[in-house]
Amino acid sequence: MLEHGGNLNDAALRYGRPRNEWLDVSTGINPVPYPAPTPAADAWHRLPEPSDELVRAACDYYGAPRMLPVAGTQAAIQALPQLRLRRDGRPARVVVAAPIYAEHAHCWTRAGHAVREVPYAQLDEAAAGDCEVLVLCNPNNPTGAVVAPDQLLRWARQLQARGGWLVVDEAFGDTLRAQSVAAHTGQEGLIVLRSVGKFFGLAGLRLGFVAAAQSLLDALADWLGPWTVAGPSQQVGIAALRDRDWQRATLQRLLADGERLRGLLARHGIAASGSALFQWWPEPRATEFHETMARQGVWVRLFTRGAGGIRIGLPPDEAGWLRLEQALQIWSARG
């Protein structure tokens, strides 16, 4: 199993510091989550039937013509390679943008597909080539790189002409809504993944959505089987997706905090890129930086592939901001 951010149990065990004494900025999850309402009592008792109300709320919020609720986008990331095999009866030629959320390449490779990891700057050439599936995050996780919607739609048309798929993971897209291509997923071959975990800060809800043509959503639903999204998750998801006042206030706060984090890093000589929810940079001494932060009880995300890099999410409060700044001061003093 791949390692991801949020693995605070590992941090506590490795460094002998209790969980409640850590500042965890290792994920890109909103640290101030949506105030989830208490689910109705029967949500715990009844099997979770498909909810048309949840689908309507998701389509309204994400601007997609049709969507399938899933138990987090991870469920779809694991299922799509299997669906492709089932459809074609053979492995596909798959290009996965790099760097990227590691589960994408991992799941396509594990299913037996021929996977190439291609830098974002070379994706146009890859789409025009002979690949049958192109996978990317937009904005990218972990770098925050963004591909314009017109470019994405052009790639989708190129792939669709040869029966291919363009898979766009928009898990961090809530703060860049103008960049989404979810509205165009009525066309065959364009698949968009959306997550309630990041912007709404509800990763534990395990709720995401897939936007695609109806035929693919039907095949995906059949593959995943019944009762994929828990009843309490459905009810909380409906409330969060419909709460426009909370969404507007949260967007303003996240955009401001994202700039604050970028500025804080810059003051310590770190030129980072990212999104409103996280910042990332290629760090030559990534392991040393990670260790220095951990010794101060600050848990950041370490990337060891390639040249190495660091991703830092947003602190939850002023005490967290101060603690992060103090840890960065210790790093800066090391020279």
Side-chain angles (χ1 to χ4, degrees):
M1 188 178 298
L2 299 179
E3 183 177 323
H4 299 287
N7 52 339
L8 203 53
N9 286 339
D10 292 346
L13 183 64
R14 187 184 311 174
Y15 293 94
R17 183 188 295 266
R19 280 175 57 97
N20 63 353
E21 294 182 8
W22 285 89
L23 170 64
D24 185 5
V25 287
S26 67
T27 75
I29 296 169
N30 179 357
V32 185
Y34 180 75
T38 301
D42 67 351
W44 303 104
H45 171 67
R46 295 184 57 82
L47 287 170
E49 301 174 70
S51 171
D52 291 339
E53 188 178 4
L54 176 60
V55 172
R56 287 195 299 271
C59 289
D60 288 345
Y61 176 74
Y62 294 115
R66 55 187 64 82
M67 304 193 93
L68 177 71
V70 292
T73 50
Q74 180 65 30
I77 290 169
Q78 294 177 196
L80 287 172
Q82 303 296 335
L83 282 186
R84 187 74 195 194
L85 277 178
R86 176 194 245 186
R87 194 197 79 166
D88 294 351
R90 61 171 178 80
R93 297 182 298 276
V94 180
V95 166
V96 177
I100 196 174
Y101 175 59
E103 290 288 343
H104 285 291
H106 177 68
C107 290
W108 285 95
T109 300
R110 187 173 59 180
H113 297 278
V115 176
R116 286 191 301 131
E117 296 188 53
V118 173
Y120 267 67
Q122 299 173 21
L123 290 181
D124 195 32
E125 179 182 345
D130 66 349
C131 77
E132 296 165 295
V133 178
L134 175 59
V135 183
L136 72 153
C137 293
N138 201 48
N140 185 35
N141 172 22
T143 68
V146 176
V147 179
D150 288 349
Q151 179 80 294
L152 293 173
L153 295 175
R154 184 166 63 82
W155 292 345
R157 289 191 295 270
Q158 290 174 316
L159 287 155
Q160 193 276 330
R162 52 182 182 265
W165 290 352
L166 176 64
V167 181
V168 185
D169 183 343
E170 295 183 351
F172 286 97
D174 299 64
T175 60
L176 293 170
R177 298 194 64 166
Q179 304 300 320
S180 175
V181 291
H184 301 274
T185 50
Q187 65 188 65
E188 295 286 341
L190 177 59
I191 303 166
V192 170
L193 311 180
R194 300 298 303 238
S195 171
V196 170
K198 309 300 189 298
F199 176 78
F200 291 95
L202 297 174
L205 208 62
R206 305 313 306 136
L207 178 61
F209 298 90
V210 180
Q214 190 62 56
S215 57
L216 188 137
L217 295 183
D218 290 343
L220 181 57
D222 179 65
W223 180 268
L224 293 173
W227 314 307
T228 57
V229 178
S233 297
Q234 293 185 14
Q235 293 186 9
V236 173
I238 291 169
L241 291 166
R242 286 183 168 171
D243 194 335
R244 296 292 191 260
D245 290 340
W246 185 90
Q247 293 162 17
R248 283 190 290 268
T250 297
L251 178 59
Q252 292 177 359
R253 176 179 57 80
L254 291 177
L255 291 174
D257 284 355
E259 283 300 305
R260 180 179 180 180
L261 179 58
R262 187 186 60 79
L264 173 60
L265 294 171
R267 290 197 298 276
H268 291 276
I270 297 170
S273 64
S275 76
L277 285 162
F278 61 84
Q279 291 291 307
W280 176 90
W281 70 96
E283 172 55 62
R285 296 184 292 164
T287 301
E288 184 181 350
F289 181 93
H290 182 266
E291 181 72 13
T292 300
M293 294 294 107
R295 293 297 176 189
Q296 311 310 311
V298 177
W299 194 233
V300 305
R301 180 73 164 93
L302 170 66
F303 293 85
T304 57
R305 295 184 65 186
I310 296 290
R311 187 187 67 197
I312 295 181
L314 301 174
D317 50 32
E318 287 303 317
W321 283 101
L322 178 60
R323 190 170 179 183
L324 176 59
E325 183 166 16
Q326 291 171 340
L328 287 169
Q329 288 172 349
I330 291 174
W331 168 254
S332 297
R334 295 172 66 97

